[in-house]
Amino acid sequence: MKRETYKKFVSQRSHAIAVCGTTNELLWVFESKQQCTTLMGIHHSTLMKCMKTNTTYLNSFKFKIISSNNLLLYKEKEISVFLNLVKQKRSHFESYKYRNKKAQKVYAQHIINPLLSQVFESQRDCAKFLKVDRGTLRKLLNNTEEKCFRKVWKLRIV
């Protein structure tokens, strides 16, 4: 089958997806659900859930199915600008959504090279950086005696 014929069949069979802001201003139009999930990095079940329940994605985007005939009416903008907006909203949304309010900050002091010392937002972040399981990290933090992790790191709760 020729590529042009295949594209014609795909465009006839697919549904165009309009991405709107929270105030219903049009941000972008995708030719199909597949293109939307691929470029935005959204899972297809999340996309379908947002469309069925009319909820917002990342508290910023709404999805609507539009007819393919109306696809040509919308102005073309640069996709990179839109994708940067999605990336920015995703990083902001993830930074406050998944952070535990009761997380304890951990100060990891490097004994040999003080420039490597840093403060971590949670025990999880510290454990991830030091490549240690959280149980061992908790034991080190709760221990009152001056033990060093791997003979290099002094750990304490801030």
Side-chain angles (χ1 to χ4, degrees), residues 48-153:
M48 294 305 294
K49 179 181 173 186
C50 289
M51 287 192 324
K52 286 179 182 176
T53 60
N54 200 19
T55 57
T56 59
Y57 176 66
L58 300 177
N59 293 336
S60 302
F61 305 108
K62 289 184 179 182
F63 300 99
K64 297 177 184 176
I65 295 178
I66 59 173
S67 65
S68 298
N69 302 346
N70 297 340
L71 187 60
L72 300 174
L73 299 176
Y74 299 109
K75 292 188 276 184
E76 284 291 321
K77 300 177 188 176
E78 279 195 47
I79 186 89
S80 61
V81 174
F82 174 70
L83 294 179
N84 284 337
L85 175 67
V86 172
K87 187 176 180 181
Q88 177 188 11
K89 294 287 184 180
R90 183 175 286 126
S91 67
H92 174 70
F93 187 75
E94 288 175 353
S95 67
Y96 76 85
K97 182 178 180 186
Y98 299 109
R99 186 65 60 191
N100 185 355
K101 304 286 190 256
K102 296 180 181 179
Q104 298 174 329
K105 291 186 178 185
V106 177
Y107 178 66
Q109 179 185 7
H110 196 276
I111 297 171
I112 298 171
N113 187 358
L115 295 175
L116 296 176
S117 301
Q118 56 183 313
V119 176
F120 296 98
E121 292 295 317
S122 65
Q123 291 179 6
R124 177 186 173 272
D125 293 342
C126 182
K128 197 174 187 181
F129 178 78
L130 296 175
K131 295 184 175 97
V132 63
D133 63 303
R134 290 182 296 188
T136 306
L137 183 68
R138 275 190 222 105
K139 287 178 185 175
L140 287 168
L141 289 171
N142 292 335
N143 199 354
T144 55
E145 47 189 78
E146 288 291 321
K147 278 193 171 179
C148 293
F149 177 67
R150 293 186 182 154
K151 300 179 183 176
V152 184
W153 295 97

